[in-house]
Amino acid sequence: MMKEATLRVFRGDSKGGQTVDYRVPIAPGMVVLDALHYIQGHLAPDLAVRWNCKAGKCGSCSAEVNGRPRLTCKTRMDDLPVDQPITVLPMKSFPRIKDLVTDVSWNYRVNRKIPAFEPRPGVEWKISQLDVDRVQEFRKCIECFLCQNVCHVLREHDKMEQFAGPRFFVRIAGLEMHPLDGRDRAGLLKDQLGIGFCNITKCCTEVCPEEIRITDNAIIPLKERVVDEFYDPLTMLFRKFRGDKVQSV
Amino acid sequence: MTANYETREHDVLIIGAGGAGLRAALEALAQGASVGVVCKSLLGKAHTVMAEGGIAAAMANVDPADNWKTHFRDTMRGGKFLNNWRMAQLHAQEAPDRVRELEQWGALFDRTEDGAILQRAFGGHTFKRLCHVGDRTGLEMIRTLQDRGVHQGIDVYMECTVTRLLTDGGRVAGAFAYWRETGRLIVFKAKSIVIATGGIGKAWRVTSNSWEYTGDGMALACEAGAELMDMEFVQFHPTGMVWPPGVQGILVTEAVRGEGGILRNKVGERFMERYDPKRMELSTRDVVARSIYTEVKEGRGTEHGGAYLDISHKPAEYVKKKLPSMYHQFKELADVDITKGPMEVGPTCHYMMGGVRVDAETAQSTVPGLFAAGEAAAGLHGSNRLGGNSLSDLLVFGRRAGLAAADHAKRVAAPSLDNAQIEQAEKELLAPFSNTGTESPYAVHRDLQEVMQNLVGIYRTQEDLKKALLDLEKLKARAAKASVEGSRLFNPGWHLSYDLKSMLIVSEAVTLSALARTESRGAHSRIDYPNADPVWEKKNNIIVHEGGEMKRRESPVPEMPPDLKQILAEDKA
Amino acid sequence: MADSPPVLPESRLGSTLRRDSWWVEIIPVVVVLGGFGIYATLRAFEGTYYSWGPYISPFYSPLIDPQHHWWPFSPALLILLGPLGFRATCYYYRKAYYRAFFLDPPACAVGEPANRKYRGETAFPFILQNVHRYFLYLAVLFLIFLWKDAFRSFFFDSRFGVGVGSIVLTLNVALLTLYTFSCHSLRHLAGGKLDCFSCASFGRARFSTWRGVSLLNERHMLFAWSSLISVGFADFYVRMVACGAIHDLRLL
């Protein structure tokens, strides 16, 4: 007798829906995405699931498994209790399209607000590994948007218009700390991207499948940079005194 | 029927948003063209993100002796001289500039001591040549191109699938597509179209490829009258995961062997000594894949039908630093700590050397206005691709395709769309909703994967290939009857029924070409013709779609000029 | 394939599909932080039993106007604002108390009370968190005094000796030092603010400093809790010895 599990999957669209239970046979090493594929292939061919690589590299298959935001391709069935149904729900913070697929286009709109890399004039293209290490952590991001989904500023307070979310602070950290970048995005962070809304409660760091230390290494350093420019009277005075001209955006 | 779809117009339409598509888009945009990019997934999820090892470019940062000529020679040798020499030359000459450009757009590669881009060794490359970012080079590349793209003003049509190219008297006129999210239809009008849709791995059961790799671009081009070339050359990467079943096929990067990983069989023999004593684990992919396959076939495989790949003799910290994602992949998915014990690996369908036949300089296919670049195009890699040559291929020929496509768009008048073609495409696309049988597209797909895996795999025979052709006919009939449940709103069953059509077209092209090539060369291994045949070294297989049928022709490999022949003759290893 | 009732939970306090006991994370924070708050307040107002022999309670150091010439209240009240401000604006404690006391959020992917206006740290009072670095400067100043106190605690009537109190005070200031030097703001000031270590003046040195602080910073939470407990205990020990409830054990 093959071992089985019950998946309790959300079925529905933007108008509403309910969960439906599916019985799925368990194979060794199976992940939740395998179970969803089994449902597609045998029980519900129109079950909408977004996925690409099934190897934890593309960040497409985000969902909430037993209430926890996860990549379904990296969530092992044998790590979940199978004596009760495993709930699989779409990401809560984004508008539902169908079943487990949500509309994440907001993220792409936010990304457009961030000025791209622009080298300082006349830079020599020599970069030291010690300058690269820090930024490479941010570049690991696979844009699964789980951090955006779990962040309570978006999830509970719907600050989509005023707040960019952890993903884009990670992106900006990668640009701001790029050793050759010549732009300054502190004003943008403070005013348009609402970094002040972040109260550093670290859920983004907890869910990141790439183990980027989002809060400590990206958001807090950016907050400190914003302090330099807007809240610290001494550094503000010092900048004035030195006549620093930064290319603000 | 005109009210059934929206229409968009661009000078250049690019299908696919991986490395080649985005690089093409950036170039076409730089030429002043209006550019649209259509992709099946979300932007930034393309298969390019899975590329791990690096970008091959003879920058000579680590080995000063490296230059384009050596890279050219390595590429031709790796491809067993079936490569288009001009493409191999352009590729070797232009790759360093393309890498530098990427850096100037914000990519951050690992560095040498003196601040240049670090390069690592890889199978088949004479020198340390692969510019890399740990083991996630592809992600760095796609993010760099993507972020530059959105700021330069490319219109991206995400989660939109093209199902047919529209033509106007023999030249390209546009494309017919649907939005995955809503199932609504969209027609693109374009003077130039670039196919950058990648490969075909999803037609095999064990593959490292993502679901998108269903050969759409090749099928679209073929149906529009373009020629496909070298379709028999499907690269099986020697090291994919084999256990547990759910992760079978997921890639284990060649960098494991590059960093000193050792292959052993069940009884502990380092079996590569038997197959390639000189290069051992760092032999070309075709050789290593066949060696593992043979070990398993002859009963010396591991418990789950693979070989052991062991890197645990290296210090644990070193392994974690150099191969972080491999460490996590095995730890999380297979409960194996690769710093302590061996991985179980086996061949996995990885890359398509063949594809749309293109002109070397312009990447234009045999259909005017239709271009192809990257994995979807044929020619550069010949019968076997070297690791690291794919990412550089995307950049070099992506740029060339974008340039030529923009140029073409400047020179030609606006095409006109043919309503009959659009109506036909719509009818075909929506057919599964009116099919009444019980055939499931998922079942057809599973069976197709079995056929290709078992009959058109690493080793091929005439008997198997003939049987595969018969099976494919049956599958085509089943696919045509497949029906889907539910609505047009994000319906994967329906999506698959279209992907199936593409997979069946390319599968047939692969099988036909493989049957014809009565020799073993590069990735194509015939048990009944185990040796290379000098006659076949001079011929490419060409596939065309004529009168509703797939036809095969042979075409002579272009003759190389004497100066390049001289390069190949030097240092004959 | 039986249908079950609708499940997407509406957002209200505590709504979640998490199966684990998410609330166990916040209970220790409430107990320890709350307990410390009450104890520290009581002790601050007590204004006595803050020194014995060479020992002085960290709550009262540096001792200002103990004779009440111009300050009529407990001298601790002049001191405690510094450490309190440092901890209140600390990037780690902010996480802890926003979660445990403000339930904003109570835990990851757990609902908050509905219809709450949220302004994060963009408006008063929490916009003041941005001055954390000034409390850091103060904290460093305090450390100097506390190290002096620790040093002094080894001299009983100008003769070297070691009592349990000496060890308690030394251990405490060591932990407070680790806590202070693992501060996020310090990490920024030490080098984190640079975009390019290799092109800045003293870049290498600042890189090393930044990396050192970063290493400590990874354990900032650990130091935050251990130093909180140690500072409370140090005060408690001094108080107990000073009021005669226990005898300081001389080890040497």
Side-chain angles (χ1 to χ4, degrees), chain A residues 68 85 131 197 201 203 232, chain C residues 19-20 99 108 118 134 197-198:
Chain A
R68 286 190 172 269
D131 286 315
F197 282 105
T201 37
C203 289
D232 182 343
Chain C
R19 299 269 172 85
D20 57 336
R99 281 198 190 191
C108 302
Y118 178 80
Y134 285 90
F197 296 113
S198 55

Side-chain angles (χ1 to χ4, degrees), chain A residues 129-147:
Chain A
Q129 184 66 38
L130 65 91
D131 286 315
V132 169
D133 282 335
R134 180 172 54 159
V135 180
Q136 282 184 338
E137 179 185 9
F138 309 131
R139 310 278 298 185
K140 287 197 302 191
C141 171
I142 55 174
E143 296 201 325
C144 62
F145 303 132
L146 286 172
C147 58

Side-chain angles (χ1 to χ4, degrees), chain B residues 73 77 563-573:
Chain B
R73 187 165 60 216
R77 277 194 191 146
D563 55 325
L564 293 183
K565 273 186 183 160
Q566 185 59 39
I567 293 174
L568 286 190
E570 284 166 21
D571 177 39
K572 195 114 189 164

